[in-house]
């Protein structure tokens, strides 16, 4: 049985300043509804001030990921994201200062426990698709199978969560479903799926074939390969 | 309330033949699924493959791997090969330029009966890339393994914007079709002729209203005029002209940016809205 958790932020307030968004709840909860409609288990749905960066920060970095983002198999996060920190670190915004207004990817150990698939429905999962840029995710991906997001800026569209959730729940190949469902079809939006693996074949096989039925496969925290795909 | 920044003026003339169309009720029945499959050269039947009834779609899968799925809310359908669609097969690295891809897509559609994508233009061509990397190495292993071509529906010489109003043809490394997505609602009748267009400024006021409960600064980066067709899972009763407003968030104190698109009615005599507002949510109890 797949467990699912979602977090989203539409409305920001001081001291955590950001422009508000409109469709983040629609995306995250659309995904959750589609998964639960198939009988999968909803573990949490935290929105706006209830979404906390500590839910993603690893416990050994002082966070609480083992009780939240890494206590579910599939986590969907919809919000602002920005990439550009040293070494390609990604930041995601929160409106609640618990403990910080920003979560940063260098503090994550995604998949150290139960997390298999993580959607960052934000801008800037990566800024480019070359090996040097995408390799920045070797650090945070510590057992998570697949990461889904966008290259550069994304659109605050509402429908992709429900579409992706429906396809994922019904056994679609996850990377292909994301590339299809995440496209808003407006120009200049590039969806990307990044898979981890112990070998090159393992990573490419996961990228090309993994469905939610692969939930029981364990990956070590230090995987040696990443494989990704995108349209351009 | 959010600040909406409009840095240039937009003006559109009423096209000669703009209409408000009543759309046909989508038919996602098994009979229609069989009819579409037959257009795609698939003989669908229980003696050959299997039907699946889902709350949101009906689908048929035949043993060779082709699946046809028709969506209940929109009537749109997807024809995909379960093993070859967007798959990286045989370590391919293909070079299909945009012109080649367009021609291949047009030829592919012409092979199928049923007038798929008649009355359309190529909107764009995209190429499917893969790459992989070993930890500690920045060596790039990028390859191109396929392409997709999006045809945009044209009606009354007016483009149809949105997720709908499109046909997408997918190819693999061997230049063979691996999928077709067709989201193209059928017209039932003319509900009204468009008599005049609303002022774009009034439409932008509507956009401001949509952001009335939001904070921040949103710059209008473009406004387009077209019919507006919704997505796979959306019910839509009318197809009518819209102003499609492209926005980009960007207040000076915010380090994040995000784009968005809002479609609002363009016809003075519009019927209802063209894009539903996001569902309003009750505030969650404060988490402790």
């Amino acid at each position: 049985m797949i467990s699912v958790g979602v977090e989203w932020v539409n409305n920001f307030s001081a001291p955590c300043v950001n422009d508000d968004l409109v469709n983040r709840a629609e995306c995250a909860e659309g995904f959750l509804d589609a998964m639960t409609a198939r009988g999968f288990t909803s573990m949490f749905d935290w929105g706006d001030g209830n979404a906390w960066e500590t839910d993603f920060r690893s416990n050994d970095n002082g966070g609480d990921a083992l009780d939240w983002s890494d206590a579910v198999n599939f986590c969907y996060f919809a919000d602002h994201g920005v990439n550009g920190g040293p070494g390609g670190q990604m930041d995601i915004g929160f409106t609640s200062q618990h403990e910080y207004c920003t979560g940063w990817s260098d503090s994550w150990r995604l998949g150290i426990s139960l997390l298999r698939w993580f959607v960052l429905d934000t801008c800037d999962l990566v800024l480019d698709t070359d090996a040097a840029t995408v390799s920045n995710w070797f650090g945070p991906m510590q057992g998570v199978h697949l990461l889904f997001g966008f290259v550069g800026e994304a659109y605050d569209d509402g429908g992709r969560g429900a579409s992706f959730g429906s396809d994922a729940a019904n056994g679609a190949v996850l990377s292909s479903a994301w590339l299809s469902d995440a496209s808003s079809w407006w120009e200049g939006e590039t969806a990307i799926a990044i898979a981890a693996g112990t070998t090159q074949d393992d990573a490419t096989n996961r990228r090309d074939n993994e469905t939610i039925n692969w939930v029981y496969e364990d990956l070590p925290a230090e995987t040696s390969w990443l494989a990704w795909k995108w349209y351009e | 309330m959010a600040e909406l920044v409009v840095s240039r003026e937009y003006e559109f003339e009423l096209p000669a033949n703009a209409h408000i169309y009543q759309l046909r009720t989508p038919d996602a029945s098994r009979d229609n699924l069989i009819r579409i499959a037959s257009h795609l050269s698939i003989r669908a039947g229980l003696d050959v493959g299997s039907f699946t009834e889902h709350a949101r779609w009906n689908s048929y899968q035949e043993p060779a791997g082709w699946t046809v799925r028709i969506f209940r809310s929109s009537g749109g359908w997807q024809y995909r090969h379960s093993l070859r669609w967007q798959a990286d097969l045989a370590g391919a690295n293909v070079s299909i330029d945009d012109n080649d891809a367009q021609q291949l897509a047009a030829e592919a559609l012409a092979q199928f009966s049923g007038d798929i994508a008649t009355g359309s233009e190529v909107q764009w061509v995209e190429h499917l890339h893969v790459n992989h990397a070993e930890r500690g190495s920045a060596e790039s292993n990028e390859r191109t393994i396929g392409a997709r071509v999006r045809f945009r529906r044209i009606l009354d010489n007016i483009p149809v914007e949105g997720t709908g109003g499109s046909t997408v043809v997918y190819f693999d490394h061997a230049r063979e079709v691996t999928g077709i997505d067709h989201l193209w609602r059928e017209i039932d009748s003319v509900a009204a002729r468009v008599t005049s267009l609303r002022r774009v400024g009034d439409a932008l006021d509507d956009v401001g209203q949509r952001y009335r409960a939001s904070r921040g600064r949103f710059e209008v980066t473009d406004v387009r005029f077209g019919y507006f067709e919704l997505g796979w899972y959306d019910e839509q009763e009318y197809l009518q002209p819209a102003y499609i407003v492209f926005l980009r968030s960007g207040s000076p104190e915010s380090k994040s940016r995000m784009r968005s698109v809002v479609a609002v009615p363009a016809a003075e005599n519009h019927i209802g809205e063209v894009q539903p507002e996001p569902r309003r949510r009750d505030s969650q109890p404060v988490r402790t």
Side-chain angles (χ1 to χ4, degrees):
Chain A
M1 183 59 70
I2 309 289
S3 54
V4 187
V6 302
E7 300 207 11
W8 49 270
V9 183
N10 269 343
N11 300 300
F12 292 85
S13 56
C16 302
V17 180
N18 248 320
D19 294 309
D20 282 354
L21 297 162
V22 173
N23 286 305
R24 303 295 75 204
E26 194 88 2
C27 276
E29 293 185 341
F31 176 81
L32 185 65
D33 290 347
M35 294 294 283
T36 54
R38 194 67 182 170
F40 300 126
T41 308
S42 168
M43 300 298 284
F44 57 88
D45 172 7
W46 295 126
D48 285 338
N50 286 340
W52 296 346
E53 64 84 14
T54 48
D55 297 340
F56 301 89
R57 181 148 47 101
S58 70
N59 291 58
D60 52 7
N61 280 312
D64 198 17
L66 289 176
D67 283 327
W68 299 103
S69 60
D70 227 316
V72 295
N73 303 129
F74 217 140
C75 185
Y76 194 111
F77 180 80
D79 183 16
H80 276 301
V82 63
N83 199 319
Q89 170 186 292
M90 184 189 188
D91 294 349
I92 53 177
F94 293 87
T95 185
S96 182
Q97 204 170 17
H98 190 280
E99 296 167 13
Y100 300 101
C101 297
T102 300
W104 60 102
S105 59
D106 285 3
S107 70
W108 303 340
R109 299 183 67 189
L110 306 171
I112 201 77
S113 181
L114 295 178
L115 185 66
R116 298 290 185 262
W117 308 289
F118 187 32
V119 180
L120 278 156
D121 187 348
T122 68
C123 297
D124 284 5
L125 179 73
V126 289
L127 294 179
D128 209 337
T129 53
D130 61 276
T133 301
V134 177
S135 291
N136 288 318
W137 283 101
F138 270 119
M141 292 180 76
Q142 299 199 15
V144 71
H145 292 190
L146 277 153
L147 203 56
F148 307 92
F150 294 94
V151 183
E153 283 188 3
Y155 282 90
D156 181 19
D157 260 10
R160 69 172 70 102
S163 297
F164 183 54
S166 284
D167 283 342
N170 284 280
V173 171
L174 293 166
S175 63
S176 289
W178 178 251
L179 262 52
S180 173
D181 296 329
S183 294
S184 60
W185 306 114
W186 306 114
E187 297 86 344
E189 186 177 54
T190 302
I192 188 170
I194 305 171
T198 52
T199 64
Q200 179 184 328
D201 286 347
D202 185 37
T204 54
N205 187 36
R206 179 162 288 107
R207 178 193 65 202
D208 295 333
N209 298 304
E210 178 151 312
T211 68
I212 54 170
N213 296 326
W214 297 33
V215 65
Y216 298 111
E217 284 207 6
D218 277 328
L219 273 181
E222 282 238 341
T223 49
S224 301
W225 291 86
L226 295 179
W228 57 101
K229 71 177 180 181
W230 74 100
Y231 275 102
E232 198 165 59
Chain B
M1 188 164 162
E3 177 191 3
L4 202 65
V5 180
V6 187
S7 51
R8 54 161 285 206
E9 289 209 355
Y10 296 91
E11 199 175 337
F12 298 93
E13 285 187 13
L14 176 65
N17 282 310
H19 297 90
I20 297 171
Y21 292 103
Q22 171 94 45
L23 294 169
R24 204 168 282 172
T25 303
D27 178 5
S29 65
R30 182 179 291 195
D31 285 348
N32 198 35
L33 183 61
I34 292 170
R35 186 184 66 80
I36 291 165
S38 71
H39 287 318
L40 299 162
S41 304
I42 294 176
R43 190 179 73 78
L46 281 172
D47 56 326
V48 186
S50 58
F51 292 93
T52 303
E53 296 215 354
H54 184 277
R56 307 180 83 177
W57 62 70
N58 267 333
S59 66
Y60 175 76
Q61 176 149 23
E62 51 101 73
W66 287 104
T67 298
V68 186
R69 174 165 70 153
I70 186 165
F71 290 76
R72 296 185 190 280
S73 299
S74 62
W77 52 261
Q78 295 171 342
Y79 165 72
R80 292 170 176 176
H81 194 281
S82 54
L83 300 177
R84 290 166 42 212
W85 177 65
Q86 299 190 136
D88 181 15
L89 300 170
N93 188 12
V94 295
S95 167
I96 306 177
D97 69 26
D98 288 5
N99 289 334
D100 275 356
Q102 289 180 32
Q103 190 170 342
L104 283 168
E107 287 170 6
L109 292 179
Q111 282 178 13
F112 300 112
S113 58
D115 292 336
I116 300 168
T118 301
S120 65
E121 64 178 12
V122 173
Q123 189 178 12
W124 45 247
V125 179
E126 288 187 329
H127 303 268
L128 179 56
H129 300 262
V130 293
N131 203 342
H132 61 263
E134 186 174 14
R135 186 185 289 268
S137 165
E139 184 187 347
S140 186
N141 299 282
E142 184 173 336
R143 290 179 289 118
T144 306
I145 62 166
R148 64 182 177 186
V149 180
R150 187 179 205 252
F151 293 85
R152 176 166 63 177
R153 184 180 194 175
I154 303 289
L155 195 58
D156 304 328
N157 289 318
I158 301 168
V160 178
E161 302 273 3
T163 306
S166 69
T167 297
V168 181
V169 184
Y170 298 81
F171 299 98
D172 65 8
H173 66 285
R175 299 174 175 234
E176 291 184 0
V177 173
T178 61
I180 299 175
D181 294 349
H182 185 71
L183 180 49
W184 192 291
R185 289 168 175 81
E186 292 185 39
I187 289 170
D188 183 71
S189 58
V190 173
R193 191 181 178 90
V194 175
T195 50
S196 59
L197 295 183
R198 302 172 68 210
R199 286 181 53 250
V200 177
D202 292 342
L204 292 174
D205 288 344
D206 287 357
V207 176
Q209 273 299 309
R210 185 161 295 203
Y211 283 81
R212 63 190 174 277
S214 302
R215 276 165 293 206
R217 182 179 185 273
F218 298 88
E219 183 187 356
V220 175
T221 58
D222 195 13
V223 179
R224 296 184 196 163
F225 173 81
Y227 288 107
F228 191 77
E229 195 168 334
L230 296 167
W232 298 99
Y233 295 101
D234 299 311
E235 292 179 3
Q236 185 171 357
E237 198 173 351
Y238 296 98
L239 185 64
Q240 55 186 324
Y243 294 123
I244 298 97
V245 181
F246 290 74
L247 302 158
R248 190 165 185 263
S249 67
S251 57
E253 58 271 26
S254 170
K255 65 177 181 176
S256 306
R257 303 282 179 267
M258 203 163 199
R259 295 179 286 182
S260 55
V261 178
V262 179
V264 291
E268 282 284 7
N269 57 331
H270 66 92
I271 302 176
E273 299 302 314
V274 294
Q275 182 189 38
E277 282 205 40
R279 187 162 45 101
R280 297 267 163 218
R281 284 166 171 74
D282 297 332
S283 295
Q284 295 182 344
V286 174
R287 179 181 174 187
T288 53

